Amino acid sequence: MADGVAASPKRVETRDAVVIRFAGDSGDGMQVTGMQFTTESALAGNDVATLPDFPAEIRAPAGTLAGVSAFQLNFSSAEVFTPGDDLDVLVAMNPAALKMNVGDLKPGGILIVDREGSTSRTCARRSTRRIRSRTAPSIATRCSRRT
């Protein structure tokens, strides 16, 4: 409770499996974040499959499409055999990561963007405001064209 206002109840969904991808610049810690998320998920009793994806370039310039690094995880309470195809959740730390990965997000998927890390603050502000009223892929696609 903040300032005496009751918090709204959180919506909880039960899913058989979830595919999540963390994406950002090489060096942003996407591999570490993905491994930590994997470890926590496994410790919670889930079966997991992972796909680390890092650029071939030794150190591409920050914010470029060639420098995007990602870590994908498929976790489930049932047996998992692949890291998954279409994403249920995309965590994009910058516009380049958003542009490179948004095409893999399922319609109605969850998009989490870092407004502060964006080089296009207007685009990021619009995305986070509209995400509640529109599906994530349409917002992200429109946003990625502006960056």
Side-chain angles (χ1 to χ4, degrees):
M1 264 199 199
D3 299 325
V5 177
S8 61
K10 292 182 180 181
R11 189 177 86 175
V12 177
E13 287 182 35
T14 302
R15 297 192 178 210
D16 295 329
V18 174
V19 178
I20 184 170
R21 183 180 296 160
F22 301 94
D25 278 330
S26 186
D28 278 352
M30 297 299 96
Q31 305 303 317
V32 173
T33 301
M35 285 305 301
Q36 186 64 42
F37 201 92
T38 300
T39 301
E40 294 301 320
S41 185
L43 289 173
N46 292 313
D47 197 27
V48 298
T50 63
L51 177 65
D53 179 21
F54 35 87
E57 291 79 8
I58 293 173
R59 186 76 168 142
T64 63
L65 298 181
V68 172
S69 173
F71 190 99
Q72 184 168 312
L73 163 69
N74 183 2
F75 64 98
S76 174
S77 56
E79 202 167 8
V80 172
F81 298 101
T82 71
D85 293 318
D86 295 333
L87 305 176
D88 295 299
V89 180
L90 172 60
V91 180
M93 299 306 286
N94 60 39
L98 179 64
K99 187 173 187 175
M100 287 289 293
N101 293 282
V102 72
D104 296 332
L105 188 62
K106 289 179 182 175
I110 297 170
L111 173 63
I112 301 171
V113 296
D114 177 14
R115 285 194 318 186
E116 301 304 318
S118 174
T119 56
S120 174
R121 292 184 190 278
T122 304
C123 176
R125 274 196 298 276
R126 285 187 185 130
S127 293
T128 53
R129 270 201 311 259
R130 291 183 188 167
I131 199 161
R132 293 186 181 108
S133 62
R134 298 192 182 194
T135 60
S138 64
I139 296 162
T141 301
R142 192 168 37 256
C143 183
S144 63
R145 282 191 219 131
R146 292 186 178 125
T147 56

